[in-house]
Amino acid sequence: MELSLGIGLVFAGAAIAAALGFSGSAIGMGHAGQAAAGVLGEKPNLFGKMLLMQALPGSQGIYGLVGAFLILNFSGILGGDGSVVIDTATGLQYLMAGLPIGIAGYFSGMFQGIVAASGISMIAKDETNMGRAIVLSVMVETWAIFGVLISFILLISIGN
């Protein structure tokens, strides 16, 4: 495969989708994990509930991974025979397709972690708040799902 600017832009789009999703999840899980560690010091029996709340912001990283895979697959780079040729304009379209999931994944992962940390405080006070804490946290994730959807729509709109 000869490296051209178009192919470089496709790789940049895939890298943005993955790296921003991973970063948002890492930040969000860090917030939730910090809150969970504080609760578990006093209530170790809540470990399962704390683990679930900490895991919720991790989904944005999965979305970023899927976004990167889709960009590489739709462009023909992944699984191709190495003879794919992508012009600069098309490569720029693939780069732009990576932005919605990357940016939405970064911010929703980060803020979902903050909401999950607050939910952890609710659960620590009253375990029956588990359902409410999950619903509040999942509401933030809606925006990451919309980011995946827009990225997918952009990808199927690219004409080679």
Side-chain angles (χ1 to χ4, degrees):
M1 176 187 321
E2 183 177 326
L3 185 60
S4 66
L5 181 57
I7 291 175
L9 290 170
V10 171
F11 281 121
I16 286 170
L20 289 179
F22 297 160
S23 298
S25 283
I27 292 169
M29 291 180 77
H31 285 298
Q34 189 175 20
V39 170
L40 290 175
E42 295 186 21
K43 297 182 177 181
N45 61 319
L46 294 177
F47 178 75
K49 292 178 179 179
M50 299 297 109
L51 184 63
L52 174 63
M53 292 303 295
Q54 185 186 11
L56 287 176
S59 56
Q60 283 80 357
I62 296 169
Y63 299 152
L65 181 66
V66 169
F69 173 79
L70 288 174
I71 289 169
L72 294 173
N73 192 40
F74 273 65
S75 67
I77 292 175
L78 195 63
D81 61 358
S83 64
V84 65
V85 176
I86 299 173
D87 61 57
T88 302
T90 304
L92 191 57
Q93 289 176 321
Y94 284 108
L95 171 65
M96 293 305 204
L99 292 178
I101 181 54
I103 294 170
Y106 179 79
F107 285 107
S108 70
M110 183 173 59
F111 286 110
Q112 187 177 27
I114 293 170
V115 174
S118 297
I120 286 169
S121 296
M122 288 173 49
I123 295 166
K125 290 177 185 170
D126 182 0
E127 292 182 46
T128 62
N129 284 325
M130 181 76 182
R132 292 180 189 99
I134 290 173
V135 169
L136 292 172
S137 183
V138 169
M139 293 301 293
V140 180
E141 185 163 335
T142 304
W143 300 105
I145 294 169
F146 288 153
V148 171
L149 181 63
I150 293 299
S151 287
F152 185 75
I153 289 170
L154 291 172
L155 283 172
I156 61 175
S157 301
I158 296 172
N160 286 323

